[in-house]
Amino acid sequence: MIWSTEKRHPGWKQWNGYYHRNSKGVGEWECFHLPEQWSIRYGNLTFHLKPFSFKHTGLFPEQAVNWDWFSEKIKFSRRSARVLNLFAYTGGATIAAVAAGAQVTHVDASKGMVSWAKENAASSGLANHLVRWLVDECVKFVAREIRRGNHYDGIIMDPPSYGRGPKGEIWKIENSVFSFIKLCEKLLSDDPLFFLVNSYTPGLAPAVLKYMMSVALKKRGGRVEASEIGLPVATTGLRLPCGASGRWSLE
């Protein structure tokens, strides 16, 4: 353990589940009072959660700060903004963008994750016709969109450290992310609203994200900011670090 947390909250005595990871990085859930599936709300949004063998439960709540950030830009623009969400997982960012008034193209290589995202959209009462749901390898999809001449007012990406596409395509973030950001820059419209890159990979610290995005988006002008994101700990007033985000906008 890097740190030890004081377990004074009564909830620590009533665990719903515990995730065990072995020395090879493979793990499993030990469930006590944990249902197969449950729901959680953020504002008017509803998400379905369930435990998976790779530790996730289907939502990264620390991303709410980014949902609020780009939602304000979409609302303030007073237009039907087109947003591209890459490595879109279970659709947290997609649903937040649609709720703010955007039309979203949601791309993920996992058919199961895209189906899950559709369920979340339906639970949130959001019209599916505002979302283009795609099971595809993100790099190849972006290359095709460039050839088609399509553009987006906002781009969101949450690239994994390592992954495989539906046809076995290999993604390694340290080798691919900078060139991919530069590629995606070509998809921004003439009057773009934002570009968001999330990272849960230790090597992509905020300073690294800021440098990459500043170089890739230099000709666009605007401003790049990057910082750690995390979850507040009520008993200590501290913040549990969960990853990093790089944000670009014209403001």
Side-chain angles (χ1 to χ4, degrees):
M1 292 288 291
I2 297 174
W3 62 79
S4 179
T5 302
E6 293 184 3
K7 299 177 175 60
R8 293 179 293 174
H9 191 282
W12 285 105
K13 297 179 181 180
Q14 298 175 337
W15 294 351
N16 295 105
Y18 189 93
Y19 186 78
H20 300 273
R21 188 192 298 274
N22 63 29
S23 59
K24 295 182 180 180
V26 179
E28 63 179 0
W29 283 93
E30 179 183 5
C31 299
F32 304 108
H33 306 288
L34 195 62
E36 290 186 6
Q37 180 171 303
W38 66 99
S39 297
I40 190 171
R41 292 182 62 84
Y42 180 72
N44 294 324
L45 310 181
T46 300
F47 303 99
H48 296 306
L49 306 183
K50 50 189 171 184
F52 271 76
S53 59
F54 49 88
K55 190 178 66 174
H56 300 174
T57 58
L59 186 70
F60 295 99
E62 65 276 6
Q63 286 296 328
V65 66
N66 286 324
W67 303 341
D68 293 343
W69 174 74
F70 64 65
S71 292
E72 284 301 311
K73 294 189 176 299
I74 292 169
K75 293 174 183 177
F76 185 75
S77 72
R78 299 185 182 278
R79 54 177 149 133
S80 182
R82 297 187 67 206
V83 173
L84 174 61
N85 187 12
L86 299 165
F87 310 100
Y89 193 48
T90 57
T94 293
I95 296 164
V98 171
Q103 300 180 49
V104 182
T105 297
H106 174 111
V107 187
D108 197 280
S110 169
K111 183 178 180 180
M113 292 298 109
V114 174
S115 296
W116 193 345
K118 290 180 180 179
E119 293 177 10
N120 285 333
S123 296
S124 297
L126 297 173
N128 274 334
H129 69 270
L130 293 175
V131 185
R132 183 184 177 200
W133 304 103
L134 298 174
V135 179
D136 206 341
E137 196 277 319
C138 290
V139 177
K140 291 184 178 179
F141 172 78
V142 167
R144 290 198 303 273
E145 287 291 88
I146 292 171
R147 292 195 296 270
R148 293 166 180 152
N150 289 331
H151 294 90
Y152 297 87
D153 302 304
I155 295 176
I156 302 162
M157 69 169 70
D158 195 348
S161 298
Y162 178 86
R164 288 184 179 272
K167 296 183 179 179
E169 303 91 342
I170 295 177
W171 165 276
K172 290 185 178 180
I173 197 168
E174 64 271 19
N175 299 333
S176 307
V177 68
F178 179 53
S179 60
F180 189 51
I181 292 172
K182 290 194 294 182
L183 190 68
C184 289
E185 182 275 331
K186 298 177 181 179
L187 287 178
L188 286 174
S189 66
D190 292 335
D191 187 20
L193 298 175
F194 65 88
F195 197 128
L196 171 66
V197 181
N198 293 307
S199 169
Y200 291 90
T201 303
L204 290 185
V208 178
L209 284 175
K210 183 174 183 178
Y211 188 91
M212 288 192 301
M213 295 182 71
S214 296
V215 172
L217 298 162
K218 182 179 180 180
K219 70 179 183 181
R220 295 279 179 173
R223 177 172 176 264
V224 175
E225 59 180 3
S227 61
E228 285 191 343
I229 54 175
L231 296 172
V233 181
T235 55
T236 63
L238 300 175
R239 187 170 297 273
L240 179 68
C242 297
S245 292
R247 300 168 169 180
W248 171 89
S249 68
L250 288 174
E251 299 176 355

